[in-house]
Amino acid sequence: MLPEYLKNASKKMKNGLMFVKLVHPCSGEGAIYLFNMCLQQLFEIKVFKEKHHSWFINQSVQSGGLLHFATPMDPLFLLLYYLIKADKVGKFQPIDQVVMDDMFPNCILLLKLPELEKLLQHVTQEKEINGKKYYKYSKEKTLTWLGKKVHQTMAALKTNNVNVSARVQATTAFYSSDQDSSEKEEDYIRYAYGLISDYIPQELSDDLAKY
Amino acid sequence: MDLSELEKDNSGRCRLSSAVPAVCRQEPCVLGIDEAGRGPVLGPMVYAICYCPLSRLADLEGLKVADSKTLSESERERLFAKMEEDGEFVGWALDVLSPNLISTSMLGRVKYNLNSLSHDTAEGLVRFALDQGVNVTQVFADTVGPPEPYEKKLKQRFPGIEVTVKAKADALYPAVSAASICAKVARDQAVKSWRFVEELEELDTEYGSGYPNDPKTKAWLRKHVEPVFGFPQFVRFSWSTAQSLLEKEAEGVLWEDSPSEEQEGLARISSYFGASPRAVPRPPHRFFRERGLEPANML
Amino acid sequence: LLPCEVPANRPAPVGRFFTPAI
């Protein structure tokens, strides 16, 4: 399942859309992404996998009812993964020495992103020497950036009526009015934090929880 | 009999009824219940009631509505037409239960067997007559399953009305025999004019009586079994005749609550004593788990 | 996408038997 506007992307350029294997920023394992070379946009691919589904496709029945969804994803989550990893070196580095990965060589595609420098400003300190930029991971800036992400996610959860209540209840049940709003807010923050944490390393997720 | 209602949608149930003769609102009436098409593996089952004033029972008998089993299809149609003509003292109503309704009731997660479906339908028709103002004082019904509980249930539902449930009621009571004629006429017509929602290619209507032991019916079923879709909805999937044919000729189907062959996720006991504690990756967030979504690590 | 699994890949007269209801 792809957003409609991507349909012609693959027509415009030979390799308009590319499926690439990159790191999953939370688990560190490989995951499939879709790169749109024209708009330089990154999509994560999630697969709907449940037992006992088949397809009717035209005049046939096909087993293995998997459904792959391509959802736009902020590439900064991937850049962040490499910046944190490189932070052990503890000094400023050019970004093309940070984003390197022999497991997932296609990560260099991230360096082609049009607003790469703007993105990096959210999560790094930078220095410029002889016209060349050097970057260093900044936890403070990152936490501020993630805080914004959590609030944006909360807003989206509310508008999409996602059931976030901690108590297990039928998803169709509406909020019992007796639940006071601060508890509700708490549920939303916790839920949004949990979702964002699916895209950042465990250690940063712990810091974010405190933040 | 106007079955156009059924032709529009033959996947559920549909009710047909005559006007209520004025005299049936004034005088005490006897009401007979019977069904047609209970046994066949094809086509609908029809429940019918027929009622008339006690004072006109002799006239009803005069219509020669003898035991409908002894009548031919055309004789039944002629008799039904005659009852319609003499409509000023006879009223009727019937429910056509489609094969799809029968099958889905019997095969549903919560079993709703044929007897319960029958009892409820019969009761619904008596309720319908009462709601239309028919002054019912006596009800006669043919047995569906053991007579006692059925009679008891009808008496509970309709206190103050005399209820008699007996085997061969259609040979004993003219009102039941008349109901049986209505049911049979409706069933015959429904089967004859059955509109197949499935655009079958070489559709043949040589399905015989529809009874499971009828060789023509068996041959028709064998010819029309479809490995993925089973049968046209004209067939009662819940009939053992249909089921055994599906077992032989059709693909299996697995549902999420099918008894799964192996217990998923039971790790081998040795894995719990593995050397390095398995780094249990964090499970995906609840948002994804609840939607069956996980990161794709291969296409 | 069906809520059940037919353990087979084969031709099937979907157009004749299956009317998706929205």
Side-chain angles (χ1 to χ4, degrees), chain C:
Chain C
L1 182 59
L2 303 179
C4 58
E5 179 184 358
V6 177
N9 296 323
R10 56 176 298 153
V14 179
R16 291 214 304 274
F17 279 86
F18 184 76
T19 316
I22 310 294

Side-chain angles (χ1 to χ4, degrees), chain A residues 21 26 32 47 163 197-198, chain B residues 255 282 285-286 292 294 296-297:
Chain A
K21 192 149 195 176
C26 170
I32 301 283
V47 56
N163 168 33
S197 293
D198 259 25
Chain B
W255 296 85
R282 189 169 47 176
H285 182 260
R286 177 183 145 196
E294 53 190 71
N297 46 30

Side-chain angles (χ1 to χ4, degrees), chain A residues 127-155:
Chain A
K127 262 185 193 162
E128 190 157 347
I129 305 169
N130 309 334
K132 193 165 172 41
K133 292 215 169 176
Y134 295 80
Y135 297 91
K136 188 172 181 310
Y137 167 63
S138 151
K139 182 152 78 166
E140 294 66 41
K141 292 176 87 174
T142 300
L143 289 173
T144 311
W145 173 67
L146 287 172
K148 280 187 212 137
K149 284 279 183 191
V150 169
H151 284 100
Q152 282 166 5
T153 307
M154 283 171 68

